[in-house]
Amino acid sequence: MTTRILPVTPQSLAWASELIEQGEVVAFHTETVYGLGADATNDEAVKKIFALKGRPTDNPLIAHVHTGYDISALVETPAWTARLRDKFLPGPLTMVYPSKGKVSRFVSCGLATLSIRVPSSPTAQAFLRAVNRPIAAPSANRSKHVSPVTAQHVYDDFAGEIPLILDGGASQGGIESTVLDCTGAIPLILRAGLVTREMIAAEVGACEFYRLHAGEKPKSPGMAYKHYAPACRTAFFPVGDAAGAIRCYREEAGRGGTPVLLCEHAVCLAHPDCRALDLGATPEEMAANLYAHLRTGEKAATLLIGIEPEARGGVMDGVRNRLLRAFGQDAKERGNDV
Ligand code: AMP
Ligand code: MG
């Protein structure tokens, strides 16, 4: 199969709709990361997503819809959730509701809930409007690999295996959507993202990170899995130990390797003689750069050396979560993300 990368045009949208109708999988741009989409009402199409990614079959998918889609056909929407939809949608917030069972049972992997996202990306919106049905989509990467933020990243993982990637340029957000459980009295963050705990609490009064207690069945099975790992050797140094990272860098270079640092802007500036991927200076820049840099780093480095950024809270909750998991430091992070 040839994989084509096409921008949104009347022709590409017509083809995308036809593919979805036939139960095929189509990758598409969103403002967070690229998605790998299929008709959420078609069992066989949804199963194809799991097979293509090598995704564990108990890790549920998000149903994506356009702004005009009536989600009350799919889920129960508690009254207090309206405020969050009004404020943050379309945008990088996925809301988990009690399901009405109208989509394939493979989307939610047997859970009684369904997660719904309304992306703001014009490319995603055009695609979702053209198909006018819920599209089940996880990130368009092979399971456990770094999420894709360009059409080329999707191509690198799935060339020859999917017919079409709808190209909308780079995903500006850079990390996956916030996943928010809306099935209880208080919203619970299952995965941190660009819509932060603080922003949600400001709207509805309270918002907590979901904590998995020992022996409990996780609300979001994805939290049990290692994610986002670059395909090269890695090392990680906590904030304040840039000196340790530089020692490690020199040792690797001394062995004839090609080490690369991954660190925030100020640390890059302090070590101009080291090859470094600059995450940026603000949390938003770090989110936007993280996955692209992990994908560049895994190709360029024999050893990718991460240094923990200093900032905490807000958007950094999501950035830190992805960064720590990419570097296998996620044990301490478990419980506030998937
Ligand atoms: P991905 O699209 O690859 O970023 O993965 C989607 C994430 O959303 C996974 O971590 C899932 O565990 C989570 N998720 C999707 N649907 C649900 C649901 N119904 N309940 C809880 N978490 C969900
Ligand atoms: Mg993913």
Side-chain angles (χ1 to χ4, degrees), residues 50 53-61 109 143-144 225 227:
F50 285 91
K53 284 191 61 133
R55 184 175 175 100
T57 51
D58 63 350
N59 192 7
L61 308 180
C109 305
S143 191
K144 300 188 179 66
Y225 298 114
H227 273 187

Side-chain angles (χ1 to χ4, degrees), residues 12-58:
S12 68
L13 284 180
W15 187 35
S17 301
E18 213 174 285
L19 289 167
I20 291 295
E21 187 108 12
Q22 292 162 356
E24 285 301 330
V25 171
V26 171
F28 60 102
H29 173 273
T30 85
E31 71 279 15
T32 57
V33 303
Y34 274 71
L36 192 63
D39 180 352
T41 63
N42 178 335
D43 284 351
E44 294 311 312
V46 173
K47 284 202 275 191
K48 263 188 202 166
I49 295 176
F50 285 91
L52 276 166
K53 284 191 61 133
R55 184 175 175 100
T57 51
D58 63 350

Side-chain angles (χ1 to χ4, degrees), residues 53 55 59-62 96 108 111 113-115 137-139 176 179 190-191 219-223 227 338:
K53 284 191 61 133
R55 184 175 175 100
N59 192 7
L61 308 180
I62 296 168
V96 180
S108 292
L111 297 173
T113 54
L114 177 65
S115 61
S139 50
E176 300 86 345
V179 178
L190 303 179
R191 174 173 75 187
K219 267 185 186 290
S220 196
M223 70 197 311
H227 273 187
V338 289

Side-chain angles (χ1 to χ4, degrees), residues 288-320:
N289 289 327
L290 178 63
Y291 288 145
H293 281 358
L294 287 171
R295 283 193 179 239
T296 303
E298 72 182 2
K299 285 190 184 149
T302 54
L303 179 66
L304 185 63
I305 304 170
I307 306 176
E308 186 179 29
E310 215 173 298
R312 293 280 192 283
V315 170
M316 283 312 285
D317 286 329
V319 174
R320 285 174 53 77

Side-chain angles (χ1 to χ4, degrees), residues 134-216:
I135 293 292
S139 50
N141 53 282
R142 290 212 184 270
S143 191
K144 300 188 179 66
H145 193 212
V146 178
S147 295
V149 292
T150 64
Q152 183 62 44
H153 292 159
V154 181
Y155 190 86
D156 289 345
D157 279 15
F158 293 113
E161 294 179 75
I162 59 174
L164 173 62
I165 303 169
L166 282 174
D167 189 357
S171 295
Q172 297 304 323
I175 58 173
E176 300 86 345
S177 60
T178 305
V179 178
L180 189 70
D181 177 82
C182 298
T183 62
I186 289 181
L188 294 176
I189 291 184
L190 303 179
R191 174 173 75 187
L194 294 176
V195 176
T196 66
R197 190 192 68 75
E198 293 85 344
M199 288 158 69
I200 295 165
E203 288 306 309
V204 292
C207 178
E208 303 289 340
F209 286 113
Y210 172 62
R211 303 269 166 209
L212 179 61
H213 299 293
E216 206 178 72

